[in-house]
């Protein structure tokens, strides 16, 4: 029988969890209730009591209660709940996790959900779900549902929402449990086709599409991540977990946003996880000619005399300067020099985005050259090869060339079947110099 795990604070939401449990049982699934509360007494019985949850992380529940610090208790029990659900998953006693809560309950439950592998069903009903949920979701595949009303007793509105959530979680759990007979979602990348990650934005789509088609033809499954901040963070998370045989990082606009104060930054950790893991990488400089902001009326006054384009009603882009491009080049080189695996940089000499093409509004040869020069200088003497291609980034020939070079790195690394860990003694394919290569259009 499929098992849905309920994670919550039974001192404040016990009545609602009791209602959810019955709805799940009516759906024909088994239920394990995990109590992550601390201060008050639980209102319903837990299958895994709070003291046991606390012990899973080496915590003393009575000490937590005695201290009376709600914030510290929530943080501590969130970590303990994560350890508990990890154990249940490892024991095949978790086929979906469902939780309800306000700000504190959502923090605890989603911390636990983020500890589970990609593909394990996760449903969070929260009064916080109509706002910015990025702190709760992170880089995971959590399904957020807005509770409409606060979770404070069962009423006709909340009952309808909770019924949908329970029905959805039961269906997900049944599907996940059935899939355990075959390839598990947490074993993504263990199938016949090794996985490759690629980064893309609207302004680099044609080139990345060409690369994706080439890699698919070479036998890979390509996962494309939108350079939207969340996309880059997710790419980094999964690369750090060893999911990918290689990374084709052609679009680094999130780094420009991180430097220039844009709204789609993935944080300073972007372009680091694959390197730490030793995953073969081919990197380009796509969309580093712009920083993304919100609607035009939100653009900082200090930037309005720069080259500005309205990308769509929600996004306004500002051209990066010579100085910003030089700094981006230095940052990229420093990250790539630290990589434990093979890396190549492919430079498209005729533009970094649709806007940066020779006839585009962001064409700035001086800024592009400052970027490339800083990358070159920062990688001089390293094992990273810089390859210059006489194409635009969206020329299909560029995408195919980048894909071919990544395939070469993966093959040379001796890890073509989805393992991103380089074998002992693997040859590092790079020569620490710049070169000009043909387009790779064969």
């Amino acid at each position: 029988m499929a098992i849905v795990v309920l994670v919550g604070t039974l001192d404040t939401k016990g009545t609602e969890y009791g209602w959810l449990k019955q709805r799940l049982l009516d759906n024909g699934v088994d239920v394990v209730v995990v109590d992550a509360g601390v201060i008050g007494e639980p209102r319903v019985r837990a299958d895994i009591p709070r003291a046991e949850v606390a012990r899973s992380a080496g915590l003393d529940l009575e000490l937590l209660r005695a201290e009376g610090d709600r914030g510290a208790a929530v943080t501590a029990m969130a970590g303990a709940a994560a350890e508990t659900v990890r154990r249940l998953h490892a024991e095949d006693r978790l086929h979906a996790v469902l939780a309800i809560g306000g700000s504190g309950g959502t923090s605890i439950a989603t911390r636990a959900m983020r500890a589970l592998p990609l593909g394990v069903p996760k449903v969070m009903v929260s009064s916080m779900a109509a706002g910015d949920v990025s702190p709760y979701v992170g880089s995971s595949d959590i399904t957020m549902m807005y509770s409409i009303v606060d979770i404070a007793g069962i009423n006709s509105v909340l009952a309808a929402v909770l019924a949908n959530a329970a029905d959805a979680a039961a269906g997900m759990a049944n599907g996940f449990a059935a899939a355990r007979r075959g390839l598990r979602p947490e074993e993504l990348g263990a199938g016949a086709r090794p996985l490759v990650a690629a980064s893309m934005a609207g302004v680099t789509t044609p080139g990345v599409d060409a690369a994706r088609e080439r890699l698919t033809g070479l036998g890979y499954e390509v996962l494309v991540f939108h350079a939207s901040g969340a996309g880059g963070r997710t790419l980094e998370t999964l690369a750090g977990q060893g999911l990918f045989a290689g990374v084709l990082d052609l679009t680094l606009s999130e780094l420009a946003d991180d430097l220039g104060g844009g709204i789609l930054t993935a944080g300073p950790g972007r372009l680091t996880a694959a390197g730490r893991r030793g995953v073969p990488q081919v990197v380009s400089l796509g969309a580093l000619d712009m920083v993304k902001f919100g609607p035009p009326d939100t653009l900082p006054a200090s930037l309005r005399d720069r080259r500005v384009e309205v990308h769509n009603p929600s996004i306004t882009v500002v051209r990066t300067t010579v100085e910003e491009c030089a700094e981006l080049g230095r940052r990229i080189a420093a990250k790539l020099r630290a990589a434990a695996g093979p890396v190549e940089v492919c430079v498209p000499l005729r533009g970094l985005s649709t806007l940066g093409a020779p006839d585009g509004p962001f064409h700035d040869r001086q800024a592009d050259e400052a970027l490339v020069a800083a990358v070159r200088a920062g990688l001089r003497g390293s094992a990273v090869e810089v390859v210059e291609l006489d194409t635009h980034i969206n020329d299909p020939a560029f995408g195919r060339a980048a894909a071919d070079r990544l395939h070469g790195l993966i093959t040379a690394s001796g890890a073509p079947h989805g393992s991103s860990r380089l074998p002992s003694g693997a040859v590092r394919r790079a020569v620490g110099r710049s070169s000009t290569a043909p387009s790779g259009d064969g």
Side-chain angles (χ1 to χ4, degrees):
M1 184 180 292
I3 302 170
V4 175
V5 173
L6 293 175
V7 179
T9 53
L10 302 188
D11 49 355
T12 60
K13 301 289 186 283
T15 300
E16 296 84 354
Y17 271 102
W19 193 98
L20 270 179
K21 177 177 180 179
Q22 187 57 54
R23 180 74 179 202
L24 288 165
L25 293 172
D26 291 344
N27 270 285
V29 296
D30 204 353
V31 181
V32 173
V33 179
V34 176
D35 185 9
V38 178
I39 306 300
E41 293 303 316
R43 299 181 184 180
V44 294
R45 188 185 68 82
D47 298 294
I48 301 181
R50 57 182 61 178
E52 182 179 339
V53 173
R55 282 195 301 272
S56 71
L59 300 174
D60 184 327
L61 178 65
E62 292 308 315
L63 182 59
L64 278 177
R65 297 182 71 169
E67 289 174 345
D69 186 332
R70 183 178 183 275
V74 166
T75 300
M77 288 302 282
E83 291 298 323
T84 300
V85 300
R86 266 196 291 257
R87 174 175 59 82
L88 291 172
H89 174 258
E91 296 171 353
D92 198 20
R93 295 172 60 202
L94 184 155
H95 303 120
V97 59
L98 170 62
I100 56 177
S103 59
T106 302
S107 295
I108 291 172
T110 54
R111 168 79 180 276
M113 292 176 184
R114 293 195 302 272
L116 294 169
L118 175 68
V120 178
K122 313 164 184 74
V123 181
M124 181 74 227
V125 181
S126 174
S127 57
M128 308 298 291
D132 178 11
V133 298
S134 58
Y136 303 121
V137 174
S139 300
S140 69
D141 55 343
I142 296 172
T143 299
M144 299 288 293
M145 291 182 65
Y146 183 38
S147 62
I148 306 298
V149 295
D150 203 358
I151 302 171
I154 300 297
N155 54 61
S156 58
V157 173
L158 186 61
V161 174
L162 296 186
N164 285 339
D167 295 352
M172 292 177 183
N174 280 320
F176 183 82
R180 303 287 286 196
R181 294 191 295 269
L183 182 66
R184 300 180 184 183
E186 66 269 30
E187 293 171 346
L188 288 168
R193 292 194 295 161
L195 298 182
V196 165
S199 56
M200 186 171 79
V203 294
T204 62
T205 295
V208 178
D209 276 347
R212 177 176 53 81
E213 290 170 7
R214 174 74 96 185
L215 288 167
T216 300
L218 289 168
Y220 298 93
E221 181 178 355
V222 183
L223 307 184
V224 179
F225 296 86
H226 187 199
S228 60
R233 290 191 296 272
T234 303
L235 189 159
E236 296 295 318
T237 297
L238 298 180
Q241 292 174 1
L243 188 65
F244 304 125
V247 174
L248 190 69
D249 221 342
L250 301 186
T251 308
L252 299 182
S253 58
E254 290 153 320
L255 292 177
D257 279 35
D258 187 56
L259 173 66
I263 63 171
L264 299 184
T265 174
R270 183 72 174 87
L271 196 62
T272 59
R276 285 196 307 272
R277 185 84 187 195
V279 179
Q281 300 175 81
V282 167
V283 176
S284 191
L285 310 175
L288 287 173
D289 51 4
M290 64 186 70
V291 180
K292 299 182 180 70
F293 294 89
D297 60 358
T298 68
L299 190 67
S302 60
L303 300 177
R304 289 177 184 172
D305 60 346
R306 302 257 294 264
R307 274 184 279 180
V308 176
E309 288 288 317
V310 177
H311 184 59
N312 60 47
S314 300
I315 299 292
T316 306
V317 293
V318 176
R319 208 326 173 168
T320 43
T321 65
V322 170
E323 294 75 19
E324 288 168 341
C325 284
E327 175 60 20
L328 285 168
R330 288 188 286 269
R331 292 185 180 190
I332 290 165
K335 292 171 187 284
L336 297 183
R337 283 185 76 100
V343 183
E344 289 187 3
V345 179
C346 287
V347 177
L349 297 177
R350 298 194 182 190
L352 307 178
S353 71
T354 53
L355 299 180
D359 58 349
F362 278 7
H363 178 64
D364 187 333
R365 187 174 181 84
Q366 186 180 9
D368 289 353
E369 287 179 348
L371 172 64
V372 176
V375 170
R376 246 194 243 109
L379 293 175
R380 191 169 294 125
S382 76
V384 181
E385 183 175 359
V386 180
V387 181
E388 297 178 355
L389 299 165
D390 190 25
T391 66
H392 185 271
I393 195 167
N394 284 326
D395 187 327
F398 177 83
R400 289 191 286 268
D404 287 342
R405 299 189 80 89
L406 181 62
H407 177 58
L409 292 183
I410 294 171
T411 302
S413 76
H417 299 298
S419 170
S420 62
R421 184 174 299 160
L422 289 174
S424 177
V427 176
R428 198 167 175 177
R429 183 186 181 273
V431 298
R433 59 175 174 79
S434 294
S435 63
T436 301
S439 68
D441 195 26

